């Protein structure tokens, strides 16, 4: 019995050692290199075998506490499409005299060559630093000798004097993650808010340890007439809270249609400083509520103080508004003035860099300088205007009270119809038609006293897209005719955003590529730069691919090349809300003249159906005379966002909609 117990003990111990080795750098096995597909996701192009991170504090007698984050990762490449996962980049701050540093080490590629493990170390030419802008740089590595089957490993360290936040740790990637671990070691002097995202919750293990730091003092010592300095050694001890977060077998986070920002749903964890209580110091408390967050932002000279300055624009603003009557006219003119005068330098943020006055003189500035300037102008002419803090789509949804929850600021003004929102960083936006990057659930309106209130940013009014077609089909099935399309509000903004910078030739090429077989001529575009008007495009078409001729019959869909062929919602289940950006109404009015010698054999039946909760509706009405067919289609989505729990309803709605659109009109030769 003792022998069995001893053997079992060593067997378990061996398993534990082997298990631990797999989660340490340098422990690559032949079996791992032989693996050709991920055991739980055969479609995976690569996988994270493990990724471990640790954020801890070190003490410098000169500078106090600073933070180090160490990360080590082991990644398997299965397919050529996964080669990009053999590269890594880490962003770090270089904006002033206090900088961050990033260093890579232990970067190795492993391959199986004639049954033996071949190691290739990263050389200096595979590591470089890239400047993003004057505030940020990026350290990048490109691993050598990468092919299908390669395993790559690396370690990097971020050293920062900034203790207000830790790097966000993502347990989930766009590829499967076999094991992810993140550990924090936080001195008793600091308290952090811990924010979690995603539906997967890591296992959490907590512990308290003691840490001793050695220090030294330089003391002046007198011995008779002699004076000298002596160094004395001291130390202090404090406790650290150690928290380890673990997740295993994490599935890949895959993009789906109409997702705002996939990172909003990625399993991750984020730390932000909530309190600081150093020895012999008064306790300091940081953001805990939205009011705390906005009050601190407002009190900063680069925010609230900028709103009180007006002498730099008074003369110009007085001149352009003196003859205007209505409040709406003044709002539109001031927005247009700032849009035309200022150029956004593509820097986000809610704090000014050089200040509104300098930005006005230079005619360029960041988001805060441009939109705080607009707020100050609106206040100058007596309107009730305030800044609104927002988080752009790329920054993620602001789920928790945090100073980093927002990364942008726009302008608001009270009108008879409520609060009107504006963003002068975009030259194609309008009052209450914000650039799409602003449409991210909600923002915080900051008042003159620093208090705030939540503000829904998502549009409520429908944006129309109206399409008129007058076409003729000949006996060979060739479709010719004229098309007129009108884009309103957000539909117009989206059009301008996509196509305003294109040449006429590039746009027509793009249009013909989107619709196979389409030939466009006599193209005319109006109102593309008149923001208050709908964009209108007119053109003549010819298309030989829309009608199928079989024997003595012609078959085609009622909406011709505007027919939607596939359901964009293919996943069986959906974890994320469906984000359409804005409510819309697409209306099609199609008049089709049938060829001589043919008659209508059958038409799809007219139909109308809707989604639950008034999310949307669809109708198709067909009527005819001997030689003409009239098709009127209305497709409406009444809300910007549909929650994931209603995904099945939405999916079924689109299924029926697409089936209806793809029913055929049949013409028969007489």
């Amino acid at each position: 019995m003792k022998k069995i117990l001893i053997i079992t003990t060593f067997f378990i111990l061996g398993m534990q050692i082997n298990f631990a080795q797999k989660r340490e750098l340098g422990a690559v096995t032949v079996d791992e290199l032989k693996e050709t597909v991920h055991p739980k996701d055969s479609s995976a192009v690569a996988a994270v075998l493990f990724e471990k991170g640790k954020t801890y504090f070190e003490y410098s007698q000169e500078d106090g506490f600073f933070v180090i984050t160490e990360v080590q990762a082991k990644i398997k490449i299965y397919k050529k499409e996964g080669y990009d996962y053999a590269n890594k980049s880490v962003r770090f701050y270089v904006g002033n005299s206090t900088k961050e540093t990033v260093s890579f080490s232990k970067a190795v590629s492993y391959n199986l060559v004639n049954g033996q493990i071949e190691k290739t170390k990263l050389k200096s030419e595979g590591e470089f630093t890239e400047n993003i802008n004057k505030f940020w740089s990026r350290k990048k590595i490109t691993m050598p000798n990468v092919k299908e089957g390669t395993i790559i490993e690396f370690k990097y360290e971020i050293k920062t004097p900034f203790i207000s936040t830790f790097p966000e740790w993502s347990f989930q990637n766009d590829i499967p993650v076999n094991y992810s671990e993140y550990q924090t070691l936080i001195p008793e002097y600091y308290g952090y808010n811990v924010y979690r995202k995603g539906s997967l919750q890591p296992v959490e293990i907590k512990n308290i340890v003691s840490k001793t730091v050695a220090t030294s003092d330089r003391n002046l010592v007198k011995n008779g007439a002699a004076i000298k300095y002596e160094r004395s050694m001291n130390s202090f001890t404090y406790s650290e809270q150690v928290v380890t977060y673990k997740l295993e077998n994490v599935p890949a986070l895959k993009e789906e249609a109409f997702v705002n920002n996939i990172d909003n749903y990625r399993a991750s964890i984020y730390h932000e400083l909530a309190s600081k209580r150093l020895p012999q110091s008064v306790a300091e408390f940081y953001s805990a509520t939205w009011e705390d967050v906005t009050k601190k932002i407002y009190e900063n000279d680069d925010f609230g103080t900028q709103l009180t300055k007006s002498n730099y624009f008074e003369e110009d603003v007085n001149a352009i508004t003196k003859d205007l009557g209505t409040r709406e006219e003044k709002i539109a003119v001031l927005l247009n003035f700032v849009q035309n005068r200022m150029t956004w330098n593509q820097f986000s943020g809610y704090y000014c860099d050089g200040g509104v006055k300098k930005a006005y003189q230079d005619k360029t500035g960041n988001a805060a300088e441009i939109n705080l300037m607009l707020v100050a102008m609106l206040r100058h002419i007596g309107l009730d205007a305030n800044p609104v803090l927002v988080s752009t789509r790329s920054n993620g949804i602001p789920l928790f009270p945090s100073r980093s929850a927002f990364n942008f600021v726009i302008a608001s003004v009270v009108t008879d119809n409520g609060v009107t929102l504006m963003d002068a960083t975009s030259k194609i936006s309008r009052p209450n038609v914000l650039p799409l990057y602003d449409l991210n659930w909600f923002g915080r309106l900051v008042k003159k006293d620093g208090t705030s209130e939540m503000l829904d940013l998502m549009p409520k009014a429908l944006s129309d897209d109206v399409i008129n077609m007058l076409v003729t089909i000949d006996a060979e099935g060739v479709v010719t005719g004229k098309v007129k399309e009108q884009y309103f509000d957000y539909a117009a903004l989206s059009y301008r955003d996509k196509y305003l910078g294109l040449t006429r030739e590039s746009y027509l090429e793009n249009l013909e590529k989107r619709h196979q077989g389409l030939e466009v001529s006599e193209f005319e575009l109006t109102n593309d730069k008149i923001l208050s008007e709908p964009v209108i495009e007119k053109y003549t078409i010819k298309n030989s691919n829309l009608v199928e001729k079989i024997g003595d019959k012609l078959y085609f869909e009622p909406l011709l090349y505007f027919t939607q062929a596939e359901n964009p919602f293919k996943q069986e289940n959906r974890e994320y809300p469906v984000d359409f950006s804005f409510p819309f109404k697409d209306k099609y009015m199609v008049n089709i003249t049938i060829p001589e010698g043919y008659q209508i054999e059958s038409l799809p039946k007219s139909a109308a159906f809707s989604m639950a909760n008034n999310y949307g509706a669809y109708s198709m009405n067909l009527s005819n005379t001997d030689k003409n067919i009239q098709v009127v289609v209305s497709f409406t989505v009444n809300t910007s966002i549909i929650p994931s729990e209603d995904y099945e309803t939405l999916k079924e709605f689109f299924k029926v909609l697409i089936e209806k659109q793809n029913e055929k009109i049949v013409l028969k030769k007489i």
Side-chain angles (χ1 to χ4, degrees):
M1 189 68 183
K2 286 182 180 179
K3 288 181 180 180
I4 294 172
L5 180 60
I6 292 169
I7 292 169
T8 304
T9 302
F10 274 97
F11 175 71
I12 293 171
L13 181 61
M15 285 179 63
Q16 289 174 338
I17 292 170
N18 189 45
F19 184 72
Q21 284 176 340
K22 288 185 178 181
R23 293 176 184 163
E24 298 297 333
L25 299 183
V28 174
T29 67
V30 171
D31 287 342
E32 287 175 323
L33 288 166
K34 283 182 176 179
E35 191 175 80
T36 57
V37 296
H38 190 269
K40 293 183 181 295
D41 184 353
S42 59
S43 67
V45 298
V48 177
L49 302 185
F50 77 78
E51 187 172 29
K52 296 166 66 176
K54 180 171 72 170
T55 296
Y56 59 96
F57 286 68
E58 290 291 341
Y59 182 80
S60 160
Q61 195 163 336
E62 293 76 22
D63 303 314
F65 283 104
F66 58 95
V67 174
I68 297 174
T69 297
E70 294 177 355
V71 178
Q72 50 184 312
K74 179 179 182 180
I75 298 170
K76 169 78 176 183
I77 309 298
Y78 293 110
K79 302 176 184 178
K80 290 180 180 178
E81 295 83 359
Y83 284 3
D84 283 346
Y85 292 98
N87 307 322
K88 182 66 180 179
S89 66
V90 181
R91 196 177 74 153
F92 59 102
Y93 185 77
V94 294
N96 53 37
S97 57
T98 307
K99 304 178 187 297
E100 297 178 326
T101 61
V102 173
S103 60
F104 278 90
S105 62
K106 300 184 179 180
V108 182
S109 297
Y110 296 86
N111 288 289
L112 197 61
V113 179
N114 298 323
Q116 300 296 314
I117 297 176
E118 178 184 84
K119 295 172 60 175
T120 308
K121 294 183 179 181
L122 177 70
K123 296 182 179 178
S124 58
E125 59 265 27
E127 180 176 346
F128 53 96
T129 300
E130 177 184 89
N131 293 324
I132 302 173
N133 54 49
K134 64 180 180 180
F135 299 108
W136 295 93
S137 289
R138 184 186 286 121
K139 181 69 72 73
K140 302 176 74 172
I141 60 169
T142 301
M143 296 299 293
N145 199 21
V146 174
K147 57 189 75 172
E148 293 182 45
T150 300
I151 289 176
I152 63 110
E153 294 183 337
F154 57 81
K155 179 180 179 180
Y156 65 86
E157 178 184 277
I158 308 170
K159 187 178 292 187
T160 177
F162 308 114
I163 65 171
S164 58
T165 61
F166 297 165
E168 183 172 352
W169 182 263
S170 294
F171 297 93
Q172 197 168 22
N173 207 314
D174 300 333
I175 54 177
V177 177
N178 293 2
Y179 180 81
S180 180
E181 175 184 305
Y182 180 56
Q183 186 178 75
T184 60
L185 298 88
I186 302 174
E188 62 183 271
Y189 311 124
Y190 301 101
Y192 283 81
N193 291 323
V194 182
Y195 302 120
R196 296 169 176 81
K197 289 193 303 187
S199 58
L200 303 174
Q201 294 299 313
V203 174
E204 189 174 323
I205 303 167
K206 293 184 178 181
N207 196 14
I208 301 292
V209 299
S210 180
K211 185 171 182 178
T212 299
V213 174
T215 62
S216 64
D217 294 320
R218 192 163 177 254
N219 303 311
L220 183 65
V221 178
K222 292 183 179 181
N223 186 6
I227 301 175
K228 65 178 181 176
Y229 286 96
E230 291 184 353
R231 190 168 292 277
S232 61
M233 301 304 296
N234 299 297
S235 67
F236 66 94
T237 301
Y238 59 89
S239 63
E240 279 187 331
Q241 183 179 57
V242 182
V243 184
T244 305
Y245 306 90
K246 299 180 181 181
L247 261 181
E248 296 188 65
N249 300 319
V250 186
L253 188 68
K254 297 182 179 179
E255 282 281 1
E256 298 182 14
F258 301 101
V259 172
N260 174 325
N261 177 350
I262 196 69
D263 284 337
N264 289 324
Y265 313 103
R266 192 181 302 277
S268 58
I269 195 164
Y270 178 75
H271 291 71
E272 182 173 69
L273 186 64
S275 63
K276 181 169 67 174
R277 190 190 296 270
L278 297 175
Q280 288 84 49
S281 299
V282 177
E284 298 178 53
F285 297 92
Y286 303 92
S287 56
T289 67
W290 288 120
E291 286 300 319
D292 295 332
V293 171
T294 56
K295 192 171 187 299
K296 281 192 174 294
I297 292 172
Y298 185 81
E299 290 173 350
N300 192 292
D301 286 343
D302 290 325
F303 189 90
T305 303
Q306 303 296 317
L307 293 167
T308 65
K309 299 178 179 181
S310 61
N311 61 335
Y312 62 95
F313 64 67
E314 283 181 349
E315 187 175 336
D316 293 335
V317 169
N318 291 342
I320 64 174
T321 59
K322 66 178 181 179
D323 297 324
L324 300 177
T326 68
R327 178 167 45 190
E328 286 67 26
E329 286 177 324
K330 294 176 181 178
I331 291 169
V333 164
L334 282 181
L335 172 59
N336 184 256
F337 173 69
V338 176
Q339 286 173 312
N340 289 332
R341 180 183 179 90
M342 302 300 298
T343 297
W344 182 33
N345 60 17
Q346 300 300 311
F347 289 149
S348 299
Y350 45 74
Y351 287 142
C352 294
D353 182 14
V356 288
K357 185 175 181 179
K358 185 177 186 303
Y360 190 79
Q361 292 167 347
D362 295 343
K363 298 184 179 181
T364 184
N366 66 11
E369 285 156 347
I370 290 173
N371 284 319
L372 293 181
M373 178 190 303
L374 177 57
V375 172
M377 290 178 180
L378 292 163
R379 288 181 176 180
H380 174 71
I381 63 170
L383 299 183
D384 184 4
N386 293 293
V388 178
L389 296 166
V390 303
S391 173
T392 59
R393 285 177 170 251
S394 62
N395 192 56
I397 298 168
L399 298 172
F400 314 105
S402 162
R403 295 183 303 282
S404 57
F406 302 113
N407 71 320
F408 213 80
V409 60
I410 62 175
S412 75
V413 61
V414 176
T415 68
D416 292 337
N417 297 318
V419 176
T420 294
L421 300 174
M422 292 169 287
D423 183 352
T425 62
S426 166
K427 294 186 180 296
I428 60 172
S429 69
R430 292 170 45 213
N432 273 342
V433 181
L434 297 171
L436 296 180
Y437 47 77
D438 290 340
L439 302 183
N440 197 27
W441 291 38
F442 67 88
R444 300 292 302 188
L445 185 149
V446 185
K447 300 178 182 178
K448 291 182 179 180
D449 59 0
T451 61
S452 71
E453 62 184 48
M454 189 172 77
L455 201 63
D456 189 351
L457 299 172
M458 304 310 290
K460 301 296 181 291
L462 298 178
S463 292
D464 293 347
D465 185 356
V466 181
I467 299 149
N468 290 272
M469 299 181 71
L470 185 64
V471 298
T472 298
I473 300 175
D474 70 14
E476 297 304 313
V478 177
V479 178
T480 57
K482 294 187 178 294
V483 177
K484 176 183 177 183
E485 188 162 3
Q486 301 176 79
Y487 305 87
F488 296 81
D489 299 325
Y490 275 101
L493 180 137
S494 297
Y495 182 97
R496 292 180 174 113
D497 188 45
K498 288 179 183 176
Y499 305 124
L500 200 56
L502 294 182
T503 64
R504 176 191 178 92
E505 292 73 21
S506 296
Y507 175 73
L508 293 181
E509 183 181 347
N510 183 288
L511 180 62
E512 291 177 345
K513 279 183 178 178
R514 294 202 309 268
H515 307 291
Q516 187 178 6
L518 185 68
E519 298 175 32
V520 176
S521 60
E522 299 177 8
F523 182 81
E524 180 185 341
L525 180 64
T526 55
N527 297 339
D528 54 321
K529 295 179 181 177
I530 305 174
L531 303 183
S532 59
E533 297 294 329
V535 175
I536 301 173
E537 56 179 14
K538 299 177 184 178
Y539 52 90
T540 299
I541 65 164
K542 180 179 179 181
N543 197 315
S544 303
N545 293 334
L546 297 174
V547 179
E548 186 178 16
K549 186 175 183 180
I550 303 176
D552 63 349
K553 294 182 181 181
L554 302 176
Y555 300 83
F556 57 93
E557 290 95 9
L559 290 182
L560 301 170
Y561 66 85
F562 286 106
T563 301
Q564 191 168 350
E566 292 185 354
N567 191 339
F569 305 107
K570 299 176 182 178
Q571 295 84 3
E572 189 169 338
N573 300 300
R574 174 136 175 166
E575 297 181 10
Y576 332 121
V578 175
D579 188 336
F580 289 106
S581 298
F582 53 87
F584 61 86
K585 181 177 184 179
D586 295 344
K587 188 169 184 178
Y588 303 85
M589 291 170 284
V590 185
N591 188 294
I592 304 168
T593 300
I594 68 174
E596 289 294 332
Y598 280 80
Q599 65 182 12
I600 299 167
E601 181 176 274
S602 64
L603 296 175
K605 291 183 179 180
S606 297
F609 47 91
S610 60
M611 274 190 283
N613 302 316
N614 194 34
Y615 287 145
Y618 187 87
S619 67
M620 176 183 283
N621 292 290
L622 295 96
S623 60
N624 67 283
T625 62
D626 287 343
K627 291 298 178 184
N628 291 91
I629 302 169
Q630 294 80 39
V631 183
V632 178
V633 169
S634 177
F635 172 33
T636 304
V637 171
N638 293 316
T639 182
S640 302
I641 299 170
I642 295 178
S644 56
E645 52 264 32
D646 292 320
Y647 173 69
E648 194 59 42
T649 298
L650 177 70
K651 182 181 176 182
E652 182 63 23
F653 173 80
F654 268 82
K655 176 178 176 290
V656 176
L657 178 158
I658 289 164
E659 287 174 351
K660 192 65 191 172
Q661 283 194 12
N662 284 270
E663 291 178 357
K664 305 286 187 181
I665 294 173
V666 183
L667 306 181
K668 184 178 181 180
K669 194 170 186 179
I670 300 172

